[in-house]
Amino acid sequence: MWLIRAFEEKVSALYAARQIVGLLHLGIGQEAVAAGTCSLLRTDDYVFGGHRSHGHAIAKGADIKRLMAEIAGRATGYCAGKGGSMHIVAMDAGFVTATGVVGGTIPLALGAAFAAKENGKGQVAVVFFGDGAGQAGPFHESLNIASLWRLPVIFVCENNGYAEFTPLSAHTLVERLARHAQTYKIPSSTVDGNDLLKVRDAMAEAVRRARAGKGPAFVEFLTHRLRGHYEGDPAKYRELSQLAEWKAKDPIARFTRELKRKKAISDKEVEAIKDEARDLVERAAQFAIDSPWPAGEEVDSQVTA
Ligand SMILES: Cc1ncc(C[n+]2csc(CCOP(=O)(O)OP(=O)(O)O)c2C)c(N)n1
Ligand SMILES: [Mg+2]
């Protein structure tokens, strides 16, 4: 969680310094979902993300140097600098793809799950998406087919209460996205997404079922992004009191408090974890900034019709 937090704080700083350009969506505040979920996965499990997926890729084991370089548009990035923040592909880590098309990777995860089922090696596919994606057509089609074909896919909904600048109550009357899973007879739960251990418990059950050939699962995590929808968003649609409430539920601070209460970690160890994360991230940022831009003649490579 600290590696993701430090990474995204650095991305934000590099953006402010104009060393990273383009559109950035940070998941600061949502780290427990990424870390808790991916901590239960194997490298050969398939993970799909969306427009807010730096944390998902890091949690799945993506190399943060190549990731930072990608976000900075450099030639050393995962996609040679052509994908950027929203189109991360880190196949070495089993992070298959992300997309800026809301809900766009949900059907793709079904394809990976279908392959996993055919291969019979117990692999699972996991797809992260937001509450806004629940109103997209492919979401519903995918739930239906996943259920019908008992595919080993786990739908991970990060319900952060907003789609861009629109609160959930203004884009659906279905307050709990997990209700949709019930319609399609997929086991589901709604869980506190800012509690790392609760995330792990919910995911452990879902992953166990999928690996055992028992079909899909749907887990809705209630969480919140502490930044705006995109970097630079003044977020005037959100009450400051709401932000303060969620800051008090910061998943990293909560888990740290819990560990300290159990005397499982010392202040010194906590500081060492933070320092190590920040150090790794600084090195990744330096690598990215020192890397060359993609060459002009490369513009058509890696593009297939
Ligand atoms: C198909 C499609 N429709 C609309 C958009 C514009 N758009 C970008 S992000 C977003 C909101 C997504 O909300 P949610 O799924 O809750 O994810 P969050 O940003 O909260 O992580 C929208 C509507 C898009 N990128 N793709
Ligand atoms: Mg949302």
Side-chain angles (χ1 to χ4, degrees), residues 198-210:
K198 286 199 180 126
V199 172
R200 271 182 62 93
D201 284 350
M203 285 307 302
E205 173 61 11
V207 171
R208 190 190 57 72
R209 287 190 81 261

Side-chain angles (χ1 to χ4, degrees), residues 9-282:
E9 284 176 346
K10 188 68 190 178
V11 167
S12 172
L14 291 174
Y15 184 74
R18 306 285 299 150
Q19 279 174 310
I20 289 179
V21 293
L23 198 53
L24 288 176
H25 308 86
L26 304 184
I28 290 176
Q30 303 189 180
E31 295 90 347
V33 179
T37 297
C38 293
S39 66
L40 291 153
L41 300 180
R42 312 189 318 215
T43 302
D44 68 346
D45 287 329
Y46 304 110
V47 169
F48 294 80
H51 57 283
R52 199 181 301 285
S53 277
H54 304 155
H56 305 143
I58 293 171
K60 189 64 174 44
D63 177 324
I64 61 166
K65 285 185 172 169
R66 294 179 69 195
L67 186 61
M68 188 68 90
E70 186 55 42
I71 295 167
R74 302 307 210 272
T76 52
Y78 264 114
C79 307
K82 295 174 191 170
S85 165
M86 283 188 271
H87 305 102
I88 297 156
V89 176
M91 286 305 282
D92 55 337
F95 188 85
V96 188
T97 192
T99 180
V101 179
V102 170
T105 46
I106 303 176
L108 303 185
L110 260 65
F114 185 77
K117 192 172 177 172
E118 291 289 299
N119 286 337
K121 291 183 194 149
Q123 292 160 284
V124 301
V126 169
V127 56
F128 292 96
F129 53 89
D131 45 294
Q135 276 55 265
F139 167 87
H140 294 271
E141 297 168 25
S142 300
L143 259 58
N144 185 54
I145 288 291
S147 167
L148 189 67
W149 292 354
R150 291 169 75 83
L151 296 178
V153 57
I154 300 152
F155 300 96
V156 179
C157 177
E158 291 180 283
N159 182 350
N160 61 11
Y162 286 90
E164 288 187 327
F165 327 114
T166 310
L168 185 73
S169 58
H171 66 82
T172 181
L173 294 182
V174 183
E175 200 188 342
R176 290 285 165 263
L177 278 285
R179 289 287 295 275
H180 294 303
Q182 289 170 17
T183 304
Y184 297 105
K185 302 196 170 173
I186 295 175
S188 67
S189 52
T190 298
V191 176
D192 178 347
N194 282 27
D195 183 326
L196 181 69
L197 296 181
K198 286 199 180 126
V199 172
R200 271 182 62 93
D201 284 350
M203 285 307 302
E205 173 61 11
V207 171
R208 190 190 57 72
R209 287 190 81 261
R211 283 209 206 287
K214 296 198 171 143
F218 188 110
V219 191
E220 175 186 22
F221 290 115
L222 302 180
T223 185
H224 199 73
R225 54 168 162 76
L226 296 176
R227 310 286 302 182
H229 169 62
Y230 61 89
E231 278 301 276
D233 169 14
K236 292 210 172 113
Y237 48 86
R238 174 168 60 187
E239 295 290 337
L240 286 176
S241 58
Q242 188 191 23
L243 184 60
E245 259 173 50
W246 281 99
K247 274 192 179 158
K249 294 193 269 189
D250 182 314
I252 302 182
R254 264 173 90 179
F255 187 55
T256 308
R257 271 200 304 275
E258 180 66 11
L259 290 177
K260 282 193 187 166
R261 197 182 55 78
K262 290 183 179 156
K263 302 211 183 314
I265 201 163
S266 67
D267 288 340
K268 219 172 137 193
E269 283 167 316
V270 171
E271 285 312 307
I273 289 168
K274 263 192 234 181
D275 287 349
E276 188 190 357
R278 289 192 175 132
D279 185 47
L280 290 167
V281 165
E282 279 308 319

